[in-house]
Amino acid sequence: MANEEKTTGFRPLTPEPTLRRLPWYLAYVSLLRSRGVEFVSSTTISKEINVDSSQIAKDLSVLSIKGKTRIGYEVEALEMAIKDFLGFTSSHRAVMMGVGSLGMALIADRGLQRFGLDVVAGFDTDPSIIGLTIKGVPVFGISELKKRREAYNADIGILAVPVEQAQSAADLLVDAGVHALWNFTPFRISVKPGIVIENTSIYANLAVMYSRLSALDQGK
Amino acid sequence: MANEEKTTGFRPLTPEPTLRRLPWYLAYVSLLRSRGVEFVSSTTISKEINVDSSQIAKDLSVLSIKGKTRIGYEVEALEMAIKDFLGFTSSHRAVMMGVGSLGMALIADRGLQRFGLDVVAGFDTDPSIIGLTIKGVPVFGISELKKRREAYNADIGILAVPVEQAQSAADLLVDAGVHALWNFTPFRISVKPGIVIENTSIYANLAVMYSRLSALDQGK
């Protein structure tokens, strides 16, 4: 459970599986904090979440805090350390491409802000949407993308356009200067090297769920 | 590119990686259809999407249609076959647990319906939300969950509650008779065997994106 002192300010690249598990620990630790629990060990976390306790200890070793023998981690400090490490306490600015059903929902969802993402503006081609303000977030026409993105200094572009426009919208965002694309379409966009792409295809997960449900029905 | 004739109506369990790739092909094929393209080969799909063409041919072999040598697949037939196979053309009924910011956004997002998911009712504990109708979907109190779920014959429960309530809301849904849980919280819920769980943690993806962005900044 010990954690090596970092001897340099340069943070090594964290393995992606660790980055995907840390939010699970964070969710559990937040629950414990809300219940007033003060300390937690990787063994306790392991019992709640289906992950091996040595794996948990290894994952938590990337953080700047240490657990204490027999007592474990201080819950509040651990929660804050994970949040910090994952970038959830920093403010990242993003522009939303496509303010249709999903884009509007994502702007309206205050959840993103709790995880450090500030959607500063939306962009759309639909004249009936341009000019609207959704929960304080203005919607502009696509022609204003480059100028507005620069003014807001937004690093992240969120893709919530129809699938047919995914690639062209991605190109516009990259051209406007974003360094990362959060792609909510199921389209596999391609961009020049050095641009980060994170795919979150909500609907693709449905196929896996349907298939398992249907296997369940067949098994009866 | 040939596809074995299925000799039985009992569909074998499709490997999850195939189920996760098929929506990518679907997205591209839908794009081709909207452009009026009539035929497509796995080689062409491979060039657009970063997947090996033999892998694509293998994935598409689970479908009931065959490609033709040199011509490939008929675009419209392929689009429909993938949609059918993934369950996007069937109607699956779901109840929404938690009609806060995310739950309301998911109900309002018509995208789910296009992928075969019909959210028939929402459930919440907040008296200011109970009684509302969101895009035609009524919101009830939790006490009505069991009765209403049965009446709607909804097989799927969507979890969009705060993380502290994830496990107890999951228990209520299973008790009310759903067979699958679509978990939008980052909490790793545990349920009895035979219940399908699909995790879609939107926010967890943010951590990976932030980390890659920060690595990018350090590399400059």
Side-chain angles (χ1 to χ4, degrees), chain B residues 30-86:
Chain B
S30 302
L31 173 64
L32 292 181
R33 202 247 312 131
S34 78
R35 286 181 182 164
V37 177
E38 279 187 67
F39 291 93
V40 65
S41 65
S42 50
T43 317
T44 309
I45 302 177
S46 172
K47 274 177 200 155
E48 273 297 317
I49 298 163
N50 204 10
V51 177
D52 190 67
S53 77
S54 62
Q55 179 66 64
I56 295 176
K58 201 183 160 201
D59 287 340
L60 295 182
S61 76
V62 302
L63 306 176
S64 56
I65 62 160
K66 296 184 191 191
K68 285 176 194 153
T69 318
R70 271 193 299 272
I71 299 175
Y73 298 89
E74 206 199 322
V75 166
E76 252 183 75
L78 182 57
E79 183 187 23
M80 194 43 75
I82 302 178
K83 274 189 179 169
D84 266 348
F85 186 85
L86 294 178

Side-chain angles (χ1 to χ4, degrees), chain A residues 35-83:
Chain A
R35 286 180 181 163
V37 177
E38 280 187 69
F39 290 93
V40 65
S41 66
S42 49
T43 318
T44 309
I45 302 177
S46 173
K47 275 178 200 152
E48 274 296 318
I49 299 167
N50 204 10
V51 176
D52 189 69
S53 77
S54 62
Q55 179 67 63
I56 296 177
K58 202 183 158 201
D59 287 339
L60 295 182
S61 77
V62 301
L63 306 175
S64 55
I65 63 162
K66 296 183 191 193
K68 284 175 194 156
T69 318
R70 274 193 297 275
I71 300 175
Y73 298 88
E74 205 199 322
V75 166
E76 249 181 81
L78 181 58
E79 184 188 23
M80 193 42 74
I82 301 178
K83 274 189 179 170

Side-chain angles (χ1 to χ4, degrees), chain A residues 9-14 16 19-20 23-25 27-28 30-31 33-35 48-50 86-88 90 92 100-102 105-106 108-112 114-118 135 155-157 163-165 167 179-182 184 186-188 190 194-220, chain B residues 9-14 16 19-20 23-25 27-28 30-31 33-35 48-50 86-88 90 92 100-102 105-106 108-112 114-118 135 155-157 163-165 167 179-182 184 186-188 190 194-220:
Chain A
F10 191 96
R11 198 169 99 179
L13 204 59
T14 312
E16 198 172 305
L19 287 173
R20 299 210 177 268
W24 307 350
Y25 312 150
Y28 179 59
S30 301
L31 173 66
R33 200 245 316 130
S34 77
R35 286 180 181 163
E48 274 296 318
I49 299 167
N50 204 10
L86 294 178
F88 292 166
S90 324
H92 305 261
S101 176
L102 180 63
L106 287 169
D109 175 20
R110 291 172 306 257
L112 291 177
R114 286 199 299 268
F115 290 86
L117 193 72
D118 198 6
K135 304 241 174 174
D155 222 14
I156 297 169
V163 67
E164 301 81 30
Q165 289 148 36
Q167 183 63 57
H179 294 119
L181 294 172
W182 193 8
F184 276 87
F187 197 79
R188 308 313 278 181
S190 47
I195 302 291
V196 174
I197 297 182
E198 181 67 18
N199 294 302
T200 299
S201 187
I202 294 177
Y203 311 127
N205 289 338
L206 277 172
V208 177
M209 187 168 67
Y210 293 159
S211 167
R212 290 197 196 137
L213 254 179
S214 139
L216 207 68
D217 289 342
Q218 287 181 343
K220 266 172 202 156
Chain B
F10 192 95
R11 196 169 100 179
L13 204 60
T14 312
E16 197 172 307
L19 288 172
R20 297 210 179 269
W24 306 349
Y25 312 150
Y28 179 58
S30 302
L31 173 64
R33 202 247 312 131
S34 78
R35 286 181 182 164
E48 273 297 317
I49 298 163
N50 204 10
L86 294 178
F88 292 166
S90 324
H92 305 262
S101 175
L102 180 63
L106 287 169
D109 175 19
R110 293 172 306 257
L112 292 177
R114 285 199 299 267
F115 290 86
L117 194 72
D118 198 7
K135 303 238 172 174
D155 222 14
I156 297 168
V163 66
E164 301 80 32
Q165 290 148 38
Q167 184 61 57
H179 295 120
L181 294 171
W182 193 8
F184 276 87
F187 197 79
R188 308 313 277 181
S190 46
I195 302 291
V196 175
I197 298 182
E198 180 68 19
N199 295 302
T200 298
S201 188
I202 294 176
Y203 312 127
N205 288 338
L206 278 173
V208 177
M209 187 167 68
Y210 294 160
S211 166
R212 289 197 197 137
L213 254 180
S214 135
L216 206 69
D217 289 342
Q218 287 182 341
K220 270 169 199 162

